[in-house]
Amino acid sequence: MKGRPIFKLGALSTILSFLLVIPALGQLNEDFGKKLCAFKAQTLKALKITPDKEKMLLALEEKCVVEREKIIAELKKSKEDLQAALAVASPDEAKVKGLVNTFTAAQAKLFASFRDELNAEMALMSPLQQGKYLMAMERWRQDVCLPVH
């Protein structure tokens, strides 16, 4: 029974470390971000979005990128704090619990940022454009983020 909390903390640490390598959690490099922006711009042109709505969508993208940079910084700090708390010989469970809550709150904030951006984008499109946009983004996600080997 005594080793059980250590096992749980080790498993939690492994899971959280794995999650941090997923691009959606902020480990996007600049090249990846540029590719996504270029793909979105190309997709918007293909969807024949009106110039005024295209400007609004591009402004939305820029605003969301800036906001996400702050969220990613929070996520990175909470990850480092959690790693440090888990690295000591006898981690304080209460402290780790608080850091886990902070870390998962930052993750939720990041996910909400992507969801809110998508909702705002969709509000500027017709249903047909929405459907085509979603399918284009899904193809891109599968090709770039989840390549099949």
Side-chain angles (χ1 to χ4, degrees), residues 68-138:
R68 271 196 289 274
E69 286 173 353
K70 294 174 187 171
I71 296 168
I72 290 168
E74 289 175 31
L75 189 58
K76 183 178 178 186
K77 183 182 179 333
S78 64
K79 173 194 136 196
E80 291 167 355
D81 292 347
L82 181 58
Q83 285 176 324
L86 293 170
V88 300
S90 298
D92 178 350
E93 283 194 44
K95 181 177 181 179
V96 169
K97 182 178 179 180
L99 292 170
V100 166
N101 289 339
T102 301
F103 184 80
T104 57
Q107 285 180 323
K109 199 173 177 182
L110 183 62
F111 296 147
S113 166
F114 282 107
R115 183 197 62 229
D116 294 347
E117 179 183 12
L118 179 62
N119 289 339
E121 289 171 335
M122 301 288 274
L124 295 170
M125 298 178 195
S126 71
L128 186 58
Q129 290 170 326
Q130 291 174 357
K132 288 179 179 181
Y133 181 73
L134 287 175
M135 291 299 97
M137 294 308 295
E138 180 63 16

Side-chain angles (χ1 to χ4, degrees):
M1 207 57 181
K2 195 173 190 176
R4 197 167 176 92
I6 299 295
F7 172 75
K8 287 181 182 178
L9 288 174
L12 177 63
S13 176
T14 301
I15 291 167
L16 293 175
S17 296
F18 174 74
L19 289 174
L20 286 174
V21 300
I22 297 173
L25 295 177
Q27 296 300 317
L28 300 174
N29 63 31
E30 194 173 315
D31 187 47
F32 184 84
K34 286 180 182 178
K35 286 179 184 177
L36 176 57
C37 289
F39 180 80
K40 277 186 165 186
Q42 175 187 359
T43 301
L44 294 176
K45 289 202 185 306
L47 292 176
K48 298 179 180 160
I49 301 287
T50 62
D52 60 318
K53 286 189 179 179
E54 185 177 353
K55 284 181 186 178
M56 293 169 71
L57 288 164
L58 294 175
L60 173 67
E61 171 89 16
E62 183 60 33
K63 176 184 157 226
C64 291
V65 166
V66 170
E67 288 175 3
R68 271 196 289 274
E69 286 173 353
K70 294 174 187 171
I71 296 168
I72 290 168
E74 289 175 31
L75 189 58
K76 183 178 178 186
K77 183 182 179 333
S78 64
K79 173 194 136 196
E80 291 167 355
D81 292 347
L82 181 58
Q83 285 176 324
L86 293 170
V88 300
S90 298
D92 178 350
E93 283 194 44
K95 181 177 181 179
V96 169
K97 182 178 179 180
L99 292 170
V100 166
N101 289 339
T102 301
F103 184 80
T104 57
Q107 285 180 323
K109 199 173 177 182
L110 183 62
F111 296 147
S113 166
F114 282 107
R115 183 197 62 229
D116 294 347
E117 179 183 12
L118 179 62
N119 289 339
E121 289 171 335
M122 301 288 274
L124 295 170
M125 298 178 195
S126 71
L128 186 58
Q129 290 170 326
Q130 291 174 357
K132 288 179 179 181
Y133 181 73
L134 287 175
M135 291 299 97
M137 294 308 295
E138 180 63 16
R139 273 192 315 276
W140 184 85
R141 185 188 64 79
Q142 288 179 355
D143 291 347
V144 176
C145 298
L146 301 172
V148 179
H149 297 280

